[in-house]
Every structure is written in C-alpha cells, then in structure tokens.
Amino acid sequence: MNDLAPLAELVDSARAEFAAADTPAALENAKARYLGKAGRITELLKALGALPIEEKKSRGAQINVAKQQIETLLNARREALAQAELQAQLRAEALDVTLPGRQRGTGGLHPVSRTIERIEAIFGSMGFDVADGPEIETDWFNFTALNSPENHPARSMQDTFYVDLKDAEGRWLNLRTHTSPMQVRYARAHAKKHAGAATMPEIRVIAPGRTYRVDSDATHSPMFHQCEGLWIGEDVSFKDLKVVFTDFCRAFFETDELELRFRPSFFPFTEPSAEIDIAFASGPLKGKWLEVAGSGQVHPNVVRNFGLDPERHIGFAFGMGPDRLTMLRYGVNDLRLFFEGDLRFLSQFK
Ligand code: PHE
C-alpha cells in the first residue's frame, strides 16, 4: 500500500489550516488536529501496528517525513505569529521621538514683586526690618489711630472699599486704603515688647503690601501697592528722612544723577508733611518732577497711639508707591498692564 499522495495532501491541508490560524490559540487547535492524541498523523502511526513488518518500516518512514514537515510548518507559523504579535505591540507602544517636546514655561517674578524685593534689600541694608499686615483693616487702625478726623474724606464710601463685616466697636471693616496702619501695628507691638525697659531700641521698619481704593484709570488701579516706612528714635528728624530717602532713590534707580524735592503737603498723621518728588537728570523723563511718596514727621497723636511718649519718641514716616517706582524703572506708562496678567507683557521682565 503506497499512500504518498494522501500524505502530501495531509501536509498541504495542515499548511492551509496553519496559515488560516491567525492567533496562537487557533494555531494550537489546528496542531491538535494533526499531531494531538487523536490527530490525523497520530491515528496513522497507531494504524501501523496492524501492518506486516516490511510495510510497517516503509510506511512508518513516510508518515514520519510527513510528520516532520507538519512540525516544521507548525514551528514556522508559530514563529510568524509571535513576530506579528511583537510587531503589533511595538506599533501600539510606539513613541514618536520626532514630536517636539512639551515646553514647561519658566515663570518669573512679577515686576512689582521685583521692585518690592529691591526696596526690601535697600532698606534692609540700612537696618530696616520688613513687616507684613492685614489687608482687611479696622476703622481704628486705618483711620482713627492715624489721627484722621471722623469727617476726613478718605473715610467716605467714594474712596474706601468697606467689607460687609463689623469690628467689636460696631464699625465696618475696610480694605486698607494705605499701608500706614502698619506703622501703628508694628510700633504698638514694639512698644509692648520693650515696655518697662529703661531704653527702647529704635523702630526702623518698612511694610510693603497691597492697598485698595475706589479708583481706576491709567495711573490708578483699585488694588495697588504701597510701602510704608517708619523710623522712630529719640532724635530722628526730617533731615534723616531726607538722607534716607535720597539714598534709597539713588540705590533704587542706580544713579546719583537724581534730584529730590520735598513739597509741603498735608496728612493727618504727619506734621510737617511733604510729598517727595524726584527728577532724573537724563533719559526720557529728564527734568520732570515725579511724585513717588508721601512723608513727614509722625504726628504726636499718632506716637501716642503707638503707646509711646511723643515728648521722647520722634521720627518720620513715608509711604511710597512700588507700582509707580516700577513704571519709572522700566518705562511702563499704563499701571493697569501690571494687573491684567497678560503674559506677553509680563514675560518681558523674566
Ligand atoms: N498714607 C499716605 C498715603 O497713602 C502716605 C504717607 C505715609 C504719608 C506715611 C505720610 C507718611 O497717601
């Protein structure tokens, strides 16, 4: 019996079934149909037992050849499927290294923050402490303690933002209209700390921060910054104010070619009072007087509210505008640009 033709067909059909199997599981099922316990090759081998010895040998050899061919086909297909799977996985996990990276923006300090840091550094070098206080303030600290009369215009609703909350005295809280309440807060804490001592160290402090007024145009914003300054000792005069403020301006603008003018003015909490104007000797603003601060010798009533004796403790205070200083330093002409959060503007200061 020579069944070579059917064996070749068997190999062909195995080839076709293996090729049709498109997953490893389907391939193993197809394999079982040929090489499994009840597979067609296995059946053929089992049937050999019934043949006479000579025929058994030649037939057995033929079947083994077919079996090897099928195993070769099987292994080739296994390999092909494994490769296909690997390729699919690589494709799925592909990383397109040609994509431009996502940039993480590098932030920068806000120009007004830069100015405030500069102010702190310069006054720090002159021995001034830096203090911080509440933006929601009581009527007493914002006005009364600063010698502002009940009928002072700053107290009116047109200038001041009031908060819908009252303090212990039944007065509306407000968004501080200036940093001057920090004079009182800091000096009172200082006086309390040194109460009873024979001598009290001088008070030398600046207090930068946000302030609020009902006001909005190119040079006024409802939220703006101020930096308070206070120096109280036993012999601190208007002359010292001039020296300190002149030194500050020269350091801040990095030039000695700068003139200062102390223009008589009025504040309830200083006497005498002066507006401080500066003028540059060169540059686009050459010769123009620019107001940068209010100042004066602290009023005796205010010193009393510090908890100190005005016969013994005297000194000066000033309040300057960091926003204005920033505009002058960088040549910005509209204050609102600082508070609109437009990165095209802000990133220029990085
Ligand atoms: N607080 C004043 C203002 O806001 C400025 C000032 C501070 C004046 C300290 C004198 C002394 O205009």
Side-chain angles (χ1 to χ4, degrees), residues 178 180 183 213 226 228 267 269-270 294-296 317-319:
H178 50 180
S180 300
Q183 289 182 34
R213 279 180 213 173
Q226 280 199 345
E228 200 72 9
F267 299 101
F269 35 93
T270 45
S295 66
F318 58 81

Side-chain angles (χ1 to χ4, degrees), residues 116-127:
I116 291 175
E117 287 199 346
R118 245 180 114 65
I119 295 171
E120 290 176 1
I122 295 167
F123 278 100
S125 75
M126 296 193 264

Side-chain angles (χ1 to χ4, degrees), residues 6 42 114 136 151 200-201 283 311 315:
T42 319
R114 283 178 187 274
I136 297 177
N151 60 356
M200 185 189 82
E311 294 298 326

Side-chain angles (χ1 to χ4, degrees), residues 146 177-181 183 211 213 224 226-230 266-270 272-275 291 293-298 316-320:
L146 290 162
T177 56
H178 50 180
T179 44
S180 300
Q183 289 182 34
T211 47
R213 279 180 213 173
F224 58 105
Q226 280 199 345
C227 180
E228 200 72 9
L230 178 69
F266 173 80
F267 299 101
F269 35 93
T270 45
S273 303
E275 304 278 359
E291 187 183 314
S295 66
Q297 283 290 102
V298 179
F316 64 78
F318 58 81
M320 63 179 152

Side-chain angles (χ1 to χ4, degrees), residues 69-322:
Q69 286 172 338
I70 291 174
E71 279 171 346
T72 305
L73 288 170
L74 175 69
N75 286 334
R77 185 63 185 151
R78 273 184 182 149
E79 178 67 14
L81 283 181
Q83 274 299 327
E85 195 175 22
L86 180 65
Q87 289 307 325
Q89 192 180 351
L90 287 176
R91 259 196 311 281
E93 292 173 1
L95 195 65
D96 183 353
V97 293
T98 66
L99 255 186
R102 287 195 189 86
Q103 304 257 338
R104 166 90 57 107
T106 52
L109 268 190
H110 190 280
V112 173
S113 299
R114 283 178 187 274
T115 293
I116 291 175
E117 287 199 346
R118 245 180 114 65
I119 295 171
E120 290 176 1
I122 295 167
F123 278 100
S125 75
M126 296 193 264
F128 281 72
D129 191 10
V130 178
D132 205 9
E135 290 170 31
I136 297 177
E137 193 50 282
T138 64
D139 190 81
W140 193 80
F141 279 111
N142 197 80
F143 298 117
T144 312
L146 290 162
N147 203 35
S148 294
E150 288 289 336
N151 60 356
H152 194 277
R155 292 194 177 205
S156 96
M157 293 288 184
Q158 275 140 26
D159 294 318
T160 305
F161 287 109
Y162 282 91
V163 179
D164 197 4
L165 274 177
K166 289 183 176 172
D167 63 17
E169 287 159 22
R171 291 180 176 267
W172 298 110
L173 296 176
N174 62 70
L175 299 185
R176 64 180 180 187
T177 56
H178 50 180
T179 44
S180 300
M182 280 307 293
Q183 289 182 34
V184 188
R185 287 184 176 275
Y186 187 91
R188 282 171 75 87
H190 185 93
K192 200 169 157 191
K193 190 167 147 196
H194 300 283
T199 57
M200 185 189 82
E202 290 189 338
I203 296 172
R204 221 181 290 176
V205 66
I206 59 164
R210 279 183 283 267
T211 47
Y212 304 83
R213 279 180 213 173
V214 184
D215 222 349
S216 188
D217 59 38
T219 52
H220 296 91
S221 148
M223 187 288 298
F224 58 105
H225 296 84
Q226 280 199 345
C227 180
E228 200 72 9
L230 178 69
W231 186 348
I232 298 287
E234 303 204 340
D235 189 21
V236 181
S237 70
F238 209 93
K239 178 197 74 188
D240 298 303
L241 166 64
K242 283 190 151 182
V243 170
V244 163
F245 212 85
T246 302
D247 281 355
F248 163 73
C249 288
R250 293 190 170 154
F252 184 85
F253 290 107
E254 295 170 282
T255 174
D256 287 347
E257 311 269 283
L258 195 81
E259 272 198 87
L260 275 82
R261 175 171 84 176
F262 289 73
R263 183 161 40 85
S265 183
F266 173 80
F267 299 101
F269 35 93
T270 45
E271 179 59 36
S273 303
E275 304 278 359
I276 307 177
D277 301 335
I278 61 169
F280 296 98
S282 58
L285 294 168
K286 178 179 170 175
K288 227 179 134 194
W289 287 110
L290 308 154
E291 187 183 314
V292 292
S295 66
Q297 283 290 102
V298 179
H299 194 288
N301 287 347
V302 177
V303 175
R304 232 167 262 127
N305 289 331
F306 289 169
L308 299 173
D309 175 5
E311 294 298 326
R312 186 152 165 222
H313 301 282
I314 59 168
F316 64 78
F318 58 81
M320 63 179 152

